Amino acid sequence: MKPDRDAPVGVFDSGVGGLTVAREIMRNLPSEKIVYFGDTARVPYGNKSKENVIRYSRQIIHFLLEQQVKAIVIACNTASAFALDEVRNEFDIPILGVIEPGARVAAQETKNKKIGVIGTEGTIGSGIHAAFLKKLDPGITVISKACPLFVPLVEEGWLHDPVTLEVVSRYLQEFKEKEADTLILGCTHYPLIRSTIREFMGEGVRLVNPAYETALELASLLEREGLLSGEKKQEEFPYRFYVSDLADKFKAFANSILPYDVEMTKKIDIEKY
């Protein structure tokens, strides 16, 4: 049975980072409703094993299917790296990750074929960006680096802090030295410190925000499947947020970055799924 085109899109992440993807969907697909799940009890995924990340992703997809979503965006680089292929084969619903859309744009944009990728230890360790970029163009050199301190800095709200600039310059010096002309922000938290990264890397380096590219890819996916919502939302709560822990903290963070007032954040027991 074909899903209802006015059903919501499911979006999930290990925590709050995926809100940058939700934000781009809100901006670029204003007619779409969203059910967002943040796995705040088990964040971060970046240092978890592949098996666990696949298990978590399955549980969350079962929950989102119960919410009758029409498509799912895995708004988490680690889960996209570890679980996307598995769950795509298991579930009969369009599922999109955040890695391929960003990598495609980076491959198109680079002039000197030197592309930097930053992300969590899990994402970088998986080598998935490098493998996909090499498939697109074997001539590309990929420079990858895990930047584990970026996530806590973002969640602390230190987006424009001298400490953040110091950490950015420590991590990213290598990309300057190796002359990367394109840098993929391979973790959904990183767009929130984009201006600090830009300040260090300089105007000449193209920063790729996979959240934005994923929203555009979602639009073409929904169009292809005949699932684009026809209606401008009239509902009282077009965006629903669920978490596995710390609902108030999540809500405060969401309200600081979304173009929309988050009224409802509900905690659920994800282990039941």
Side-chain angles (χ1 to χ4, degrees), residues 20-257:
T20 58
V21 179
R23 178 170 73 172
E24 295 298 343
I25 296 170
M26 290 172 181
R27 284 177 180 158
N28 294 285
L29 296 163
S31 299
E32 297 298 339
K33 300 193 276 283
I34 296 172
V35 175
Y36 182 96
F37 179 81
D39 197 359
T40 43
R42 303 185 292 200
V43 67
Y45 282 7
N47 55 13
K48 303 282 192 293
S49 70
K50 181 172 181 170
E51 294 67 39
N52 269 332
V53 173
I54 292 171
R55 182 169 69 84
Y56 297 166
S57 301
R58 274 196 197 110
Q59 288 176 320
I60 295 165
I61 291 168
H62 284 301
F63 166 72
L64 290 172
L65 291 174
E66 210 175 73
Q67 306 301 306
Q68 299 181 309
V69 299
K70 62 183 175 183
I72 290 174
V73 178
I74 303 183
C76 168
N77 284 268
T78 306
S80 296
F82 287 165
L84 181 63
D85 291 344
E86 293 271 341
V87 296
R88 262 189 183 154
N89 293 332
E90 278 173 43
F91 295 96
D92 190 22
I93 184 172
I95 302 178
L96 191 63
V98 282
I99 287 172
E100 292 178 8
R104 257 188 224 108
V105 169
Q108 284 159 13
E109 297 272 330
T110 181
K111 304 277 192 294
N112 69 3
K113 293 191 190 286
K114 292 179 181 171
I115 297 178
V117 183
I118 52 176
T120 63
E121 286 165 20
T123 302
I124 298 302
S126 75
I128 191 164
H129 284 94
F132 191 67
L133 285 163
K134 290 277 193 197
K135 205 163 76 180
L136 294 172
D137 179 351
I140 286 173
T141 300
V142 183
I143 308 138
S144 307
K145 191 175 181 90
C147 302
L149 291 176
F150 284 175
V151 169
L153 287 167
V154 168
E155 295 200 353
E156 201 56 59
W158 295 3
L159 306 183
H160 308 284
D161 194 279
V163 172
T164 307
L165 183 58
E166 171 64 25
V167 173
V168 163
S169 46
R170 288 253 189 129
Y171 278 146
L172 303 189
Q173 183 59 36
E174 181 185 339
F175 295 100
K176 270 190 171 173
E177 287 164 7
K178 294 183 174 165
E179 295 173 0
D181 73 347
T182 307
L183 183 64
I184 298 174
L185 307 180
C187 168
T188 47
H189 281 74
Y190 298 179
L192 297 169
I193 50 169
R194 185 190 178 134
S195 58
T196 307
I197 294 173
R198 154 78 53 243
E199 191 185 324
F200 178 74
M201 291 302 293
E203 293 300 323
V205 174
R206 166 79 157 92
L207 300 183
V208 176
N209 174 6
Y212 172 70
E213 310 303 341
T214 300
L216 300 188
E217 190 136 332
L218 175 67
S220 24
L221 171 83
L222 294 176
E223 198 166 6
R224 261 198 326 272
E225 302 276 343
L227 290 173
L228 263 181
S229 172
E231 295 298 304
K232 185 82 183 100
K233 299 175 300 289
Q234 295 306 321
E235 275 185 43
E236 197 184 351
F237 298 117
Y239 305 128
R240 305 203 308 274
F241 298 89
Y242 297 89
V243 293
S244 47
D245 201 7
L246 302 170
D248 290 344
K249 190 176 172 192
F250 175 90
K251 189 171 144 184
F253 190 87
N255 278 323
S256 73
I257 69 163

Side-chain angles (χ1 to χ4, degrees), residues 247-268:
D248 290 344
K249 190 176 172 192
F250 175 90
K251 189 171 144 184
F253 190 87
N255 278 323
S256 73
I257 69 163
L258 292 178
Y260 164 88
D261 248 5
V262 177
E263 295 287 337
M264 185 203 97
T265 303
K266 196 170 169 193
K267 181 181 163 184
I268 61 149

